[in-house]
Amino acid sequence: MASGAHGEPGSAQHIVHLVSSGAATSRADLVRELGLAPSTVSLRVQELVAAGVLTESGEGASRGGRRPRLLRVRTQGGVALAADLGSHHARLGAVDLGGGVLDPVDLPHDITAGPEPVVEWLCDRVAGLAARERAAGRTVRALGVAFPGPVRPGDGCVLSPSRMPGWHRYPLRDVLAERLGMPVTVENDATMMAVGEHRAARPELDHLVVVKAGRGIGSGVIAAGRPHDGANGAAGDISHVRIEAAGERPCSCGNIGCLETVASGAALIRELAAQGVEVGSTSELLRLVADGDPRATTLVRTAGRHIGTVLSVVVNFFNPQAVALGGVLATAEPLVAAVRGVLYERCLPLATADLEITTTVTGPDAGLLGAGLTALREELAAPSREPLPTPREQPAPRQEESA
């Protein structure tokens, strides 16, 4: 197993992973898995039990000695709040230590309004969600945010996002932590999709590419069992790869001919409008595809071929075990089929011999799972096991209908 995905060997998050995955159900199992002294394992288990992360009860099957007590992740012992932000919507919920998603809700919002309005909006909703989780008897441990743009590894600072004026170098993690009074992690949304899909549905894979195809396009990379951010947080940004089919179309990044200009949901909506078909959202576009509209179906299929063209280079270079397509556009079978066809057509036979090309198992919860589990992992890695502070009071959240 690549321990980097779950913390250093013997760390709190590594122990929780072993227990939650079923690889270890007792202290004796952990001793065998970790290769540590029984006294060391017992001390770390006791710390996690005292912190409300693990429970130890009942009796397991004997292997020749005293019957061991069973370890389980105490899913009610704590949650991370999670926010998966898009350009025009957000999905919020809570993620427990067992990888369950609680109280998810989709809400409209506009991230192009700038940092301060978005932070105020997000703090309002996080405060309301935190209150609901505490009322249900759950301990709120942290907040994880999936942000639709590059995020500098290590400090949660937004870097050079397209279509988002005012966000460059904005210290989102530190601002949220200060206003909410709780530990916060901020990572790229596509990377968090990859983490969520990997940890919740495909932990056996060490090399995975997850594509987020929606209003924009991005991808997250799991390499050797852990998320790969790159030097500046730009790893996986296939949206701004130049392709011949895009010609001289100007892109929001300032370049021309990017994949985004011909294969994103926003680009397809513009192209439909040019053909005299007005749709207000990617969801409306997909309804046309589901109804068999030939213009919409042709556009979506062509977008899939463009995405597959760029992914073929990624697959040949990176040689992943699986490519999983997520995001709203991945619900359109013509797009998925087109991506699959191009990959088999353009990639080396050795690269596709055992390659799985499919849609995400975790669906719309992938980003929430990635953000929440990352926040829980960071909180478990913190040197102090003291109870976390109660988030500061925020104004009562306004009522909004789900998007």
Side-chain angles (χ1 to χ4, degrees), residues 327-390:
V328 65
L329 283 180
T331 62
E333 179 54 34
L335 182 137
V336 176
V339 170
R340 186 179 290 116
V342 171
L343 289 181
Y344 282 124
E345 173 188 320
R346 291 181 174 238
C347 292
L348 293 169
L350 184 61
T352 57
D354 299 309
L355 179 68
E356 180 185 1
I357 307 167
T358 185
T359 54
T360 55
V361 175
T362 49
D365 287 334
L368 282 185
L369 283 164
L373 292 172
T374 297
L376 287 170
R377 181 194 65 199
E378 294 298 321
E379 197 273 321
L380 285 171
S384 171
R385 300 301 311 169
E386 296 299 317
L388 296 174
T390 299

Side-chain angles (χ1 to χ4, degrees), residues 19 31 88 365 403:
V19 175
V31 169
H88 290 80
D365 287 334

Side-chain angles (χ1 to χ4, degrees), residues 285-298:
L285 165 67
L286 293 177
R287 278 195 289 272
L288 290 178
V289 175
D291 288 340
D293 181 272
R295 288 170 293 190
T297 301
T298 298

Side-chain angles (χ1 to χ4, degrees), residues 23 30 47 65 79 93 110 144 192 198 239 258 308:
L30 288 172
E47 290 175 346
V79 297
D110 183 7
M192 289 298 91
H198 176 236
S239 190
C258 295

Side-chain angles (χ1 to χ4, degrees), residues 9 22 78 89 101 107 127 159 205 257 268 294 308 324 331 340 361 377 398:
H89 80 284
V101 176
L107 299 170
L159 295 177
L205 300 184
L268 299 185
T331 62
R340 186 179 290 116
V361 175
R377 181 194 65 199
R398 295 181 296 274

Side-chain angles (χ1 to χ4, degrees), residues 106-185:
D106 291 291
L107 299 170
H109 90 115
D110 183 7
I111 205 165
T112 64
E116 287 304 321
V118 170
V119 165
E120 291 296 332
W121 180 91
L122 183 58
C123 286
D124 283 352
R125 272 109 209 115
V126 167
L129 179 59
R132 288 195 296 278
E133 297 310 308
R134 292 194 184 92
R138 292 184 277 266
T139 300
V140 175
R141 297 183 175 275
L143 168 67
V145 177
F147 185 84
V151 176
R152 187 161 58 204
D155 68 3
C157 183
V158 177
L159 295 177
S160 303
S162 300
R163 308 180 305 278
M164 300 179 200
W167 281 99
H168 181 50
R169 297 190 183 278
Y170 188 79
L172 182 57
R173 184 195 69 180
D174 293 346
V175 170
L176 289 173
E178 170 64 24
R179 297 197 187 184
L180 292 167
M182 70 169 73
V184 176
T185 61

